[in-house]
Amino acid sequence: MAILFNEKAKTLTLHTKNTSYQMKIGNLNYLLHLYYGPSIKDPDMSYQIMQYDRGFSGNPYESRNARTFSLDAQPQEFSTQQQGDFRTASIEVVNGDGSYSFHGKAADYRIVRGKYKLDTLPSVFDRDKDTADTLEVTLLDPVSHVQVTLLYGVFEEADIITRAVKVTNQGDRPIHLKKIMSLCLDFLNGAHMDLVSLPGRYGQERQVERQHMTHHIHTIGSVRGSSSHQQNPFVILCDREATEDYGSCYGFSLMYSGNFLAEAELDQYDQLRLVMGIHPKQFSYELRPGDTFEGPEVVMAFTTHGFTALSHIYHDFYRSNLCRSKFVQDVERPVLINSWEAAFMNFDDVKLVEIAKAARNMGVDLLVMDDGWFGKRDDDNSGLGDWYVNENKIRCGLHRLVEQINDLDMKFGIWFEPEMVSEDSDLYRAHPEWAMEIPGRHGVRSRNQLALDMSRKEVQDYLIEKINAILDDANIYYVKWDINRSLADIWSNALPPERQGEVYHRYILGLYRVMDEIILTHPDILFEGCSGGGGRFDPAMLSYYPQYWVSDNNNPIDRLKLHYGTSFVYPTSAMGAHISDSGRFVPLETKAVVAMCGTFGYELDATHLSRKEQKICKKQSDLFRKYYHITFRGDFYRLTNPFEPGNMTAWQHVTKDKKESLLSVVVTNLTCNGPQEYVRAKGLIPDAMYSVNGSKETRSGAALMNAGIPINREVPEYSAFQFYLVRED
Ligand code: GLA
């Protein structure tokens, strides 16, 4: 059992293969946080906590005249409210009597075999082979009768600890939750730490930023109704010296697709507190007596071996314990061609079949009919919500179109944007009250579409019925599920005025229900998520979709940064990447090398390609399949940082047994008459011998990793290289 209770010290310690995490039912039954880091045997780390009389830091009443115990300076598992801790709170609740306070004391704990489940939200799961255990610690406020249950999932082998939270109103009057954080983690000294986050924007998602901790609250979050292009629900706290290969790194990945917040506060004594959970903006959730609220899960990992090792922990775990789709492990993903950048909305059935015929020569398995096939949809001003085939465009009907594609020995995929509605649609005309609009006000326009009120059961039922009808009518192999605006006008006509603070979260709960009823009921369909590119690229979404569109930006040179940033937490197998016309000066071969750092596909009018270009594409599709087991199942290494000045970007995939590797390089800049450059491999066995691209001469792992591979500089701009390394001894 990876969770131990020490009776004498009253400590609870969670052990994974390489880490330990300890808490203590301490003074006055406050639940103190003692340790998270490399494995330790010590049953009680509380000697680390020194206690002083700290001016202006209050003491709980029960500590009487002892002025040295202040929650303002104690590391806690779950920071409280109005108890003399002036740092970031984990909970803000308005009790039935109107008071703002939560004084939770440890009341009980339970250790259970297996990983807990959440009833309302997606969470990671344990597989048969996993050694996973659960710890539940209950904090109870004896006055308000508000109970907080802290949940910990311990995946021993995977080196992962998860956290989630439940709040139950055990009193006899309604309470209102204003803030609830799933994770609170206190470090006794955080002045030496950096915070790494993945900010971005539309077309440039998940760029990487690193900042030193200073004495204020650093916030990372989204209030756009989705996890967003602008921030990602993932942060790293690391040593100031941490690099790809060295240094302590803590990762925190939140499984939630709506508004989120991470706050990192370096306090007056250089203690660091990180909290993470649902964003409190416009959040006010009523809990009637007996009601329970669940906060989303945070997936935590720690390593002393730098960012690469941290990424490997997440990649491995998310490839096995996040999504149950058969396309994650058992069935290889198809090479697809998507109609969007090929034809936008200007297509008909004949055009699609022509694209498919040309794409077949390129080794493509699947044609995806993107936006424009339904309702009245010739541009993006109308039609959303009308999920029936537009027979002016698909004149032969969907069924026949799919048959024609299948006759080419290809599969068929389709696009939906379920959560949205156009004002010019039959759905809006029939049910204007289903759209999110504040009564008496005009809604904020964004791509000229409104969001449906996903918190409403009728809306959910409508979508489930309409979309399932399409999926069941034809032989559909793939679905792209899109959302193309941020939420504004947060209002539900189905909720009374005093419950409007629940809409943001209820939207997400409704969305998850619709996804359960559409995605989980179609296990043979491959689902890909999308949000104007990668605007909702988060682990909760990846628990439904094996892959997610990284960005609408297909420029292969921009993609180098996009893939680099995304790879900090998400595996190559989750990253939707296509070859398109974008990047006019970049050779087709280079575009393919970049797309192989993802799920690989095309997004162009294949009928416009010459025979020669189609042949090049066929070769690239074959290579993608050849390297699939390396890129989809191996370890990923970032060899260069594209955000730093340099002439090339390089990355590498290595199989788990280290017998094969694919090292990829894109030359982004060639200085005239410049120095020779080398790319050093990683992750190989130093004394094993490897062939490079089938050459008879072999090189040792040590040479490839230390001396590196010389990169020919007499090549055209934006050339790319792939070095396929095979162990030969
Ligand atoms: C979004 C997606 C694109 C495409 C369009 C269709 O922008 O990211 O890939 O599907 O919508 O409207």
Side-chain angles (χ1 to χ4, degrees), residues 202 338 340 345 370-371 377 380 415 417 447 480 482-484 530-534 549 551-552 603:
Y202 172 77
N338 180 296
W340 183 242
M345 296 189 202
D370 206 283
D371 194 355
R377 184 78 169 166
D380 57 13
W415 179 95
E417 192 177 355
R447 213 189 187 201
K480 178 172 167 191
D482 210 339
I483 166 176
N484 277 315
C530 178
S531 172
W549 187 223
S551 179
D552 273 355
E603 189 150 340

Side-chain angles (χ1 to χ4, degrees), residues 58-130:
N59 322 108
Y61 182 80
E62 311 95 293
S63 61
R64 304 285 164 188
N65 294 333
R67 295 195 197 173
T68 56
F69 184 79
S70 172
L71 294 178
D72 207 20
Q74 298 291 308
Q76 295 168 65
E77 271 304 302
F78 188 76
S79 51
T80 55
Q81 182 188 12
Q82 296 227 66
Q83 279 207 288
D85 183 348
F86 297 93
R87 295 171 292 167
T88 309
S90 301
I91 184 168
E92 280 174 24
V93 56
V94 185
N95 296 309
D97 61 3
S99 62
Y100 287 71
S101 58
F102 176 72
H103 294 194
K105 300 278 193 75
D108 202 3
Y109 76 90
R110 219 158 67 93
I111 299 171
V112 191
R113 268 248 180 272
K115 159 76 186 355
Y116 65 83
K117 293 189 180 67
L118 297 177
D119 296 328
T120 56
L121 293 164
S123 57
V124 296
F125 54 86
D126 48 343
R127 292 189 180 267
D128 293 347
K129 61 179 173 29
D130 289 327

